[in-house]
Amino acid sequence: MLTKLFASLVVLWSLIGSAIAGPDEDAVRDLLHSSFDKPEAKLVVAPVVVATGYAIADWTQGEMGGRALLRNKHGRWTIILCAGDGIRSAEALRHAGIAPDVAGELAEALAKAERAVPPDRLAMFARFEGLLRMDEAGNHPPVHDRATDRR
């Protein structure tokens, strides 16, 4: 019962966020939903923050969660990487290749937006371990297996 109530509140919160979001936030949500929604596990994307051609979208799906870093290139949003808490700071965003002023703006916007997120949902964003870089098509490149190189 409590789980269903929580899920309903999260969906409602996501819908309210979508209702007041701008076109970039909507485009980011649409991209993530079209890429990762499953019939048995819908993606909940909120909050989404945007700054100068970059965005961070917090997401949950079932019992998993994380954050996606996206870039707008020629009017088209693409996923750069997925992570957990590893992309919350301006320093981490700079290491991901974002200009210092934009990284600071994005990190500040994310911190502000996440203040309204319930603590249990916020904790879910940290469940994504590591950092998964994506290619231009939104796919993660295969991991290089050193064991197969030993001949």
Side-chain angles (χ1 to χ4, degrees):
M1 173 76 174
L2 193 56
T3 303
K4 287 182 181 181
L5 177 61
F6 174 71
S8 297
L9 288 173
V10 168
V11 169
L12 178 63
W13 182 66
S14 177
L15 292 174
I16 290 170
S18 294
I20 59 174
D24 285 327
E25 291 87 347
D26 290 340
V28 165
R29 278 189 185 87
D30 290 346
L31 172 63
L32 292 174
H33 282 293
S34 67
S35 299
F36 301 111
D37 263 346
K38 298 177 185 175
E40 72 283 359
K42 295 289 182 186
L43 196 68
V44 177
V45 183
V48 175
V49 296
V50 177
T52 317
Y54 289 91
I56 297 178
D58 291 353
W59 59 268
T60 55
Q61 187 173 39
E63 295 300 315
M64 189 59 186
R67 294 176 178 86
L69 176 63
L70 301 95
R71 175 180 52 211
N72 188 323
K73 193 172 185 180
H74 308 296
R76 183 174 170 261
W77 285 99
T78 57
I79 304 167
I80 299 172
L81 58 88
C82 292
D85 284 348
I87 57 169
R88 290 180 77 185
S89 72
E91 180 181 351
L93 294 169
R94 285 192 303 271
H95 285 302
I98 299 175
D101 57 332
V102 178
E105 184 182 348
L106 201 54
E108 186 176 316
L110 182 65
K112 182 178 178 183
E114 287 184 346
R115 285 187 205 118
V117 176
D120 48 347
R121 180 169 162 74
L122 189 62
M124 290 180 74
F125 304 148
R127 290 186 180 169
F128 194 103
E129 294 181 10
L131 190 95
L132 181 63
R133 292 204 176 268
M134 308 295 267
D135 64 18
E136 289 292 320
N139 303 306
H140 61 87
V143 176
H144 184 68
D145 183 3
R146 291 179 186 213
T148 59
D149 286 347
R150 294 184 198 145
R151 299 183 202 271

